[in-house]
Amino acid sequence: MSLPKINPTTTKAWNQLESHFNKIKEVRMQDLFIEDASRADFFTLEWQDFYLDYSKNRISKETVDLLLKLAEEVKLKEAIASQFTGERINQTEDRAVLHGALRDFDHMKPEVKEALGQMQDFSKTIINGSWKGYSGKEIKTIVNIGIGGSDLGPDMVTEALSYYKNHLNVQYISNVDGDHVNEVLKKLDRETTLFIIVSKTFTTQETLTNANTVRKWFLEHASETDIAKHFAAVSTNLEAVSGFGIATENIFPMWDWVGGRFSLWSAVGLSTCCAVGYDNFEQLLKGANEMDKHFKDTDFSENMPVILAMLSVWYNNFFKAETEAVIPYSQYLSKLVPYLQQAIMESNGKSVDRNEDPIDYETGTIVWGSTGTNAQHAFFQLLHQGTKIIPTDFIGFSESLYGNQDHQNKLMANFLAQTEALLQGTEGTEVATNFRKFQGNKPTNTLLIKKLTPHSLGSLIALYEHKLFVQGIVWNIFSYDQWGVELGKKIGLTTLEAIESDGNTKNASTNNLLKKISM
Ligand code: F6P
């Protein structure tokens, strides 16, 4: 069975949403709160340590009913079942999509269990110092070399879990920018550094170039046989990894049923596992698995990923919002947005539907943002007084990790005040000039989580994974391929040839630029 292929704009619910939108588009949330005293209680969801308040949205009960009807009509239920039962729903690559299986401890695939065991043993010996480098010293630094999903997920999680980190110094090299690689290398000690090369395909230009540069640097003072003590790899391409000279016991598996941007739960997360230890890594997986169960088994009206996804569809397709923002009120989550940008925009940036027809409605949301409170002093001006509608997710934690209550109170005060200001504007207060006027009526979701732990972080990431999947189903696109990155890669290769041979490309503008580069 393949995914349903329903053009959402042909459904009854879409039609009804269009007329409903015409009624609601001028309605102000300020009035909705006055009219209905139960609004704040009604539009909330509680699940484990998560509390989602979505009352500050430009919606009524009817909006939510219609959005959920749309989800039914596009056969979301069937699509969720297809994903979790391992049907080959990534049709254009003929693959199943089973990142959920990487964290399903109740029904764990033997190969996943084995890989987790391998990760546990490996990380343990690195952390406890029994793994020795070529000169007999313990490993102090781990460097992950990868890009895209082989970098963003592990980097984001390692940063997010800094509080739970051990003594290891964990770093990430992704860009093919040689200056950055040199900056990293100049601070490293060969004798105490271990490199993990992560590439699902092991063909990615950036990763292979960086890995070769690092290998050469390593061999300036060490021998080929020392590579086994300082290099590990994660890939599906075992042949290419062996060709690189990595010892068989240091090779960790990947599977074609795990997309790169959903792979942090696999051995791609090995650097994280070393940084925080296997037990914390397992908690991360368990938290994600709890969210999987919630997503699979909960009625749409109580289903957090479904509600968030459908609200986003509402703004994207009816209000024609151009972007949406994510603002975590935790500096630990400073890398969440770049991670989400790949997950969401690589998945849903599509303009051909599942019938292979061109699409005439909006798909993939543009996601951006940064941490609060910093963002308040940067781009919040535009959220408050700009002309654009930018639905924003506010993510906060009710407990801080170090327990500094003074800071935490101020952080939370800002977190709450901003959504209220965005909603309320200067309504009811005298303002001296129009310059000082805030219209309010700006939509936000507030996701309040008890505490940042490996478990809650796992659930949070999985929440966004499922949200983007729901949106892909509604938009009738294939979320799990990424053909859009191929053309640039291909032209990149011929452009490199042109640079190396003083040749030309097909385009006059590029040729002028090439001449400037070689001058
Ligand atoms: O070019 C995009 C992409 O294919 C991503 O989807 C992927 O995460 C990244 O490149 C890295 O790929 P690999 O792990 O095969 O090196």
Side-chain angles (χ1 to χ4, degrees):
M1 247 213 21
S2 58
L3 288 176
K5 296 183 176 173
I6 299 161
N7 178 337
T9 64
T10 63
T11 60
K12 218 169 138 202
W14 189 282
N15 214 272
Q16 289 171 308
L17 278 162
E18 274 177 335
S19 351
H20 174 68
F21 172 72
N22 285 326
K23 279 191 278 164
I24 213 171
K25 65 181 181 214
E26 306 298 343
V27 171
R28 290 158 8 106
M29 286 189 280
Q30 293 96 320
D31 299 329
L32 295 175
F33 271 93
I34 294 168
E35 279 160 26
D36 179 4
S38 69
R39 181 177 177 87
D41 294 328
F42 186 82
F43 292 120
T44 57
L45 287 181
E46 273 196 86
W47 172 81
Q48 295 197 352
D49 286 347
F50 284 47
Y51 179 88
L52 172 67
D53 176 346
Y54 62 102
S55 64
K56 294 182 182 103
N57 278 295
R58 293 172 71 169
I59 53 168
S60 64
K61 290 177 187 170
E62 190 186 352
T63 322
V64 176
D65 288 346
L66 289 174
L67 286 168
L68 297 184
K69 192 171 155 198
L70 172 62
E72 300 281 353
E73 277 191 70
V74 296
K75 299 202 186 309
L76 176 61
K77 244 184 218 134
E78 292 80 345
I80 295 172
S82 299
Q83 168 160 316
F84 281 96
T85 51
E87 286 165 27
R88 299 171 96 80
I89 61 166
N90 177 358
Q91 194 184 301
T92 67
E93 293 179 335
D94 192 24
R95 290 174 184 168
V97 179
L98 282 171
H99 43 278
L102 298 169
R103 53 216 190 193
D104 185 357
F105 287 88
D106 299 333
H107 319 92
M108 194 153 266
K109 286 173 174 279
E111 62 268 43
V112 173
K113 203 171 177 177
E114 197 185 326
L116 281 176
Q118 198 190 348
M119 288 170 76
Q120 184 170 19
D121 295 343
F122 181 88
S123 58
K124 197 168 145 196
T125 57
I126 300 280
I127 296 165
N128 70 20
S130 54
W131 182 294
K132 300 283 191 272
Y134 68 92
S135 63
K137 290 186 185 165
E138 293 177 12
I139 297 300
K140 290 190 184 135
T141 303
I142 301 278
V143 181
N144 186 91
I145 305 175
I147 197 164
S150 298
D151 164 75
L152 289 163
D155 190 9
M156 179 271 287
V157 174
T158 302
E159 175 72 22
L161 298 182
S162 299
Y163 179 78
Y164 302 88
K165 236 184 110 255
N166 52 37
H167 62 284
L168 294 171
N169 164 25
V170 181
Q171 304 205 30
Y172 292 83
I173 295 179
S174 52
N175 201 331
V176 75
D177 177 355
D179 290 342
H180 179 244
V181 179
N182 277 299
E183 287 299 336
V184 175
L185 289 181
K186 89 179 176 200
K187 291 180 212 115
L188 294 181
D189 175 359
R190 288 174 185 76
E191 296 173 58
T192 58
T193 303
L194 185 131
F195 297 93
I196 307 175
I197 306 167
V198 184
S199 177
K200 182 175 165 183
T201 54
F202 225 79
T203 57
T204 304
Q205 184 197 53
E206 293 90 335
T207 302
L208 293 191
T209 306
N210 288 337
N212 279 312
T213 300
V214 166
R215 186 180 193 273
K216 232 199 243 154
W217 169 87
F218 177 77
L219 291 175
E220 281 167 18
H221 292 275
S223 69
E224 292 271 351
T225 50
D226 297 331
I227 286 185
K229 297 188 175 111
H230 291 267
F231 285 82
V234 184
S235 187
T236 52
N237 188 348
L238 301 186
E239 216 182 312
V241 178
S242 310
F244 189 86
I246 292 179
T248 323
E249 63 274 19
N250 297 352
I251 303 177
F252 292 77
M254 259 284 262
W255 302 280
D256 74 352
W257 38 266
V258 181
R261 55 195 174 275
F262 306 97
S263 63
L264 69 90
W265 322 98
S266 71
V268 169
L270 186 59
S271 55
T272 305
C273 183
C274 290
V276 298
Y278 177 80
D279 290 348
N280 281 320
F281 188 75
E282 192 174 294
Q283 281 307 310
L284 177 85
L285 303 191
K286 288 191 166 154
N289 178 241
E290 294 288 322
M291 182 55 81
D292 295 343
K293 290 183 198 156
H294 166 75
F295 176 54
K296 254 187 335 190
D297 304 334
T298 311
D299 196 76
F300 288 169
S301 62
E302 300 286 314
N303 194 313
M304 237 178 240
V306 173
I307 291 287
L308 286 175
M310 297 313 293
L311 287 171
S312 175
V313 168
W314 175 234
Y315 293 116
N316 187 61
N317 295 92
F318 297 90
F319 281 90
K320 311 280 188 228
E322 289 143 338
T323 69
E324 52 189 54
V326 176
I327 315 289
Y329 275 67
S330 163
Q331 202 52 34
Y332 288 118
L333 296 188
S334 60
K335 294 181 175 172
L336 180 67
V337 170
Y339 163 79
L340 289 177
Q341 285 177 325
Q342 186 201 12
I344 295 169
M345 291 159 76
E346 194 165 86
S347 298
N348 287 341
K350 312 281 164 69
S351 48
V352 170
D353 72 11
R354 289 197 288 268
N355 297 306
E356 222 182 318
D357 290 327
I359 286 173
D360 61 0
Y361 47 88
E362 293 295 329
T363 63
T365 45
I366 298 170
V367 188
W368 60 286
S370 167
T371 53
T373 56
N374 296 6
Q376 292 173 203
H377 297 272
F379 53 76
F380 267 43
Q381 164 67 35
L382 189 142
L383 296 188
H384 284 289
Q385 285 190 318
T387 51
K388 294 179 167 54
I389 178 168
I390 303 171
T392 304
D393 287 355
F394 282 71
I395 303 169
F397 298 91
S398 37
E399 279 178 34
S400 73
L401 297 181
Y402 286 96
N404 186 331
Q405 208 51 44
D406 174 45
H407 282 260
Q408 178 65 6
N409 289 348
K410 287 171 183 162
L411 185 68
M412 286 295 97
N414 277 282
F415 171 66
L416 300 176
Q418 289 298 326
T419 63
E420 194 171 309
L422 286 162
L423 162 79
Q424 208 59 42
T426 43
E427 175 100 354
T429 45
E430 284 266 317
V431 283
T433 70
N434 276 346
F435 298 118
R436 292 167 188 248
K437 199 167 164 183
F438 292 57
Q439 283 176 336
N441 204 22
K442 315 276 189 198
T444 59
N445 292 306
T446 303
L447 181 60
L448 183 62
I449 303 166
K450 193 159 177 265
K451 190 173 162 182
L452 177 58
T453 62
H455 195 275
S456 66
L457 180 68
S459 303
L460 175 66
I461 301 167
L463 168 67
Y464 278 98
E465 283 181 348
H466 298 319
K467 176 187 167 187
L468 75 86
F469 168 70
V470 171
Q471 291 179 283
I473 294 303
V474 173
W475 293 324
N476 196 25
I477 54 179
F478 287 118
S479 295
Y480 294 120
D481 60 23
Q482 58 285 311
W483 298 109
V485 296
E486 293 307 318
L487 180 61
K489 286 185 195 172
K490 209 168 126 200
I491 298 182
L493 290 178
T494 50
T495 310
L496 179 61
E497 264 171 44
I499 289 179
E500 288 176 343
S501 63
D502 277 334
N504 278 324
T505 73
K506 285 186 187 155
N507 178 270
S509 150
T510 312
N511 287 333
N512 284 345
L513 292 163
L514 276 175
K515 275 188 216 132
K516 285 276 171 205
I517 289 173
S518 61
M519 257 159 71

